[in-house]
Amino acid sequence: GLGTTTVLTISPLARHRELLPLLAQWFIDEWPEWYGPGGRGSAAEDLTAFAASESSLPVGLVAFNENVPIGVAALKPESLPSHRHLKPWAAAGLVLQSHRGKGVGARMLEALVHQAFDLRYERIYCATATAASLLRRSGWSQLEVVQHEGQSLVIFAKETEA
């Protein structure tokens, strides 16, 4: 767990737009092949979209330890081109290296599930190459494995109300 010294809060990114340049740098550092030079993604554009609203998709969330941002995640309307019939998606989850392994990712996932429920979705989805064990531990069900741009992704789903 987080231990008693940490005060973790999760807040909509729409309330913290001053963090966009910092979070964009996090995205570039974490996913350089997508967001870095020559990549197809724009960290600034994606984060600006995630910060636009807290009541309609996409919705970004920021995790704070005391008042210091340590994580970010988003609830997105789509993820994989092959699965446009499903939504919403837990995506863009990132916890700063120094704070990993402390349950922050699990708490952020839980917050995304609550967010999806608040927006009246009965299920939430996630496609991941790296976080399968976290999702399983958090009670998500594996739906299928798909090949996407040369890597295997596991698609998970979770009911938003247990």
Side-chain angles (χ1 to χ4, degrees), residues 67-126:
N67 293 309
V68 179
I70 60 165
V72 62
L75 194 64
K76 291 171 50 176
E78 60 178 52
S79 180
L80 297 173
S82 56
H83 290 68
R84 289 213 169 96
H85 54 290
L86 304 178
K87 73 175 170 185
W89 294 81
L94 171 56
V95 176
L96 278 190
Q97 191 75 47
S98 54
H99 290 271
R100 289 178 192 171
K102 299 176 187 173
V104 178
R107 284 280 301 278
M108 294 207 75
L109 266 181
E110 194 182 320
L112 290 172
V113 174
H114 285 299
Q115 184 74 51
F117 176 76
D118 288 345
L119 296 178
R120 308 270 190 277
Y121 292 101
E122 293 176 7
R123 299 180 96 196
I124 179 176
Y125 301 90
C126 185

Side-chain angles (χ1 to χ4, degrees), residues 2-93:
L2 283 158
T4 50
T5 55
T6 301
V7 179
L8 182 79
T9 54
I10 296 174
S11 178
L13 181 55
R15 298 179 199 173
H16 302 281
R17 292 195 175 102
E18 72 284 354
L19 296 176
L20 290 177
L22 172 69
L23 300 180
Q25 192 57 55
W26 289 7
F27 274 32
I28 292 163
D29 293 344
E30 183 72 16
W31 298 296
E33 65 291 336
W34 181 256
Y35 288 119
R40 283 185 283 155
S42 164
E45 273 178 35
D46 284 3
L47 283 155
T48 299
F50 299 161
S53 171
E54 46 186 287
S55 57
S56 64
L57 299 177
V59 177
L61 298 177
V62 187
F64 294 89
N65 176 15
E66 307 294 342
N67 293 309
V68 179
I70 60 165
V72 62
L75 194 64
K76 291 171 50 176
E78 60 178 52
S79 180
L80 297 173
S82 56
H83 290 68
R84 289 213 169 96
H85 54 290
L86 304 178
K87 73 175 170 185
W89 294 81

